[in-house]
Amino acid sequence: MKRIFSGVKPTGHLTLGNYLGAVRRWVDIDQHRSDALFGIVDLHALTVEHDPARVLRLSRQAATLLLAAGLDPTLCTVFVQSHVDEHARLSYLLECTATDGELRRMIQYKEKGARARAGGEGVRLSLLTYPVLMAADILAYGTDEVPVGEDQTQHVELTRDLAVRFNQRYGHVFTVPRATHPEVAARVMDLQDPLSKMGKSHENGSGIVYLLDDADVVRRKIMRAVTDSGRDVVYDWEASPGVANLLDLLAASTGGNPEALAGVYESYGSLKRDTADAVVEMLRPVRERHAELAADPGHVDRVLRDGAERARGMARPLVDRAYRAIGLMPAVG
């Protein structure tokens, strides 16, 4: 079986975009067809200004939601990144393989660094180097495939470059992974700004459906979604992005085709109502299962402990081999 690695960063509450763009595919497809690892990549949350208590709270919430969505610990490995030391160990070796120029070209570093400077904040060194930590996350497990959105493709390309460079200089250690881009429902846009991706950390959350929003909140957000100046319900991302976004959400929630669904509706109101009902119903079992798991934190702790132990068992031999290959002396005893 192919090995895949993917993860979620606990920098905000998980959204409908996270669910449709990634988590549902992990549940329905990836955990069944591959040797899959899914991490709560909490070390990445430290690259920007953060509240430690919030990171801790969101890490547990993310783990609980992944299980509530249907990740099965008997089929895949669910763990917290900081619980497996090999991520940090390997990251330093890869920092010694990467170049300053490569990291400064990363688009997300430029964008996030510019925002930090505009807000009067310093830019943390870890923001520059976090693509190397992401590479370590992937390479530590001999990963074959990395399911990511288009915005992370550059980071996977860097991972590939570092793996090839390390192998050429020090001997073959790493599998060279490839990025995969799920086609179904990979694009979920903000309900108030359909030209922007539905993210976890927008200042105004009115366009974001969070997985733990109650049904009334979900309906209210969708009913207030920005549409377009025309009246016709058409699936056209250039001319009518707001309507197209709603049609994509409805199609993803019901298994329909957005172009075919466009022909069913004569008004934006009826489209919004049906989309709201479909999203509420799709998320209902996730919310209910989350409530059950949140009431049994010991179970979640056991899953994460066992997942970290399993992940450590996979990563440690490979990372130890990388340490030997690069010239570091093995520990005595």
Side-chain angles (χ1 to χ4, degrees), residues 17-84:
N18 299 127
Y19 181 71
L20 292 178
V23 175
R24 190 166 69 170
R25 178 185 170 87
W26 299 349
V27 170
D28 293 345
I29 299 173
D30 290 334
Q31 69 173 339
H32 299 284
R33 72 175 181 88
S34 62
D35 183 7
L37 298 102
F38 301 106
I40 292 83
V41 288
D42 52 345
L43 294 176
H44 290 288
L46 311 185
T47 61
V48 295
E49 191 66 31
H50 65 278
D51 173 7
R54 185 169 187 266
V55 171
L56 181 62
R57 184 172 66 253
L58 290 176
S59 296
R60 171 169 286 280
Q61 185 187 94
T64 306
L65 275 170
L66 292 183
L67 298 175
L71 287 185
D72 184 344
T74 67
L75 298 175
C76 65
T77 302
V78 181
F79 69 105
V80 176
Q81 176 194 34
S82 64
H83 294 177
V84 181

Side-chain angles (χ1 to χ4, degrees), residues 1 44 55 123 139 262 296:
M1 296 178 74
H44 290 288
V55 171
V123 180
L139 297 179
D296 185 10

Side-chain angles (χ1 to χ4, degrees), residues 13 35 45 49-50 67 70 99 119 134 145 154 163 179 189 196 201 208 234 239 274 297-298 303 316 332:
H13 301 283
D35 183 7
E49 191 66 31
H50 65 278
L67 298 175
T99 67
M134 179 176 172
E145 295 182 3
Q154 189 183 34
M189 312 305 278
S196 298
S201 54
I208 304 170
V234 294
D274 283 1
V303 169
R316 182 164 293 171
V332 178

Side-chain angles (χ1 to χ4, degrees), residues 139-207:
L139 297 179
Y141 298 101
T143 302
D144 299 293
E145 295 182 3
V146 189
V148 292
E150 293 290 343
D151 60 332
Q152 293 292 330
T153 299
Q154 189 183 34
H155 292 156
V156 179
E157 288 303 313
L158 175 68
T159 301
R160 291 171 54 84
D161 290 343
L162 294 179
V164 169
R165 188 178 305 154
F166 191 101
N167 289 345
Q168 289 175 341
R169 290 179 178 176
Y170 308 116
H172 185 83
V173 173
F174 298 119
T175 299
V176 180
R178 67 185 184 92
T180 59
H181 304 292
E183 296 180 2
V184 179
R187 177 170 62 174
V188 179
M189 312 305 278
D190 191 286
L191 295 172
Q192 292 299 313
D193 180 10
L195 298 180
S196 298
K197 183 179 175 182
M198 185 181 285
K200 295 195 295 287
S201 54
H202 289 188
E203 290 183 8
N204 181 359
S206 61

Side-chain angles (χ1 to χ4, degrees), residues 89-98 102 132 135 139 158-176 318-328:
R89 289 180 63 209
L90 181 55
S91 183
Y92 182 73
L93 297 196
L94 296 179
E95 284 185 17
C96 296
T97 308
E102 284 177 312
V132 176
L139 297 179
L158 175 68
T159 301
R160 291 171 54 84
D161 290 343
L162 294 179
V164 169
R165 188 178 305 154
F166 191 101
N167 289 345
Q168 289 175 341
R169 290 179 178 176
Y170 308 116
H172 185 83
V173 173
F174 298 119
T175 299
V176 180
L318 191 149
V319 174
D320 285 348
R321 192 159 75 248
Y323 266 59
R324 292 192 297 270
I326 207 170
L328 295 178

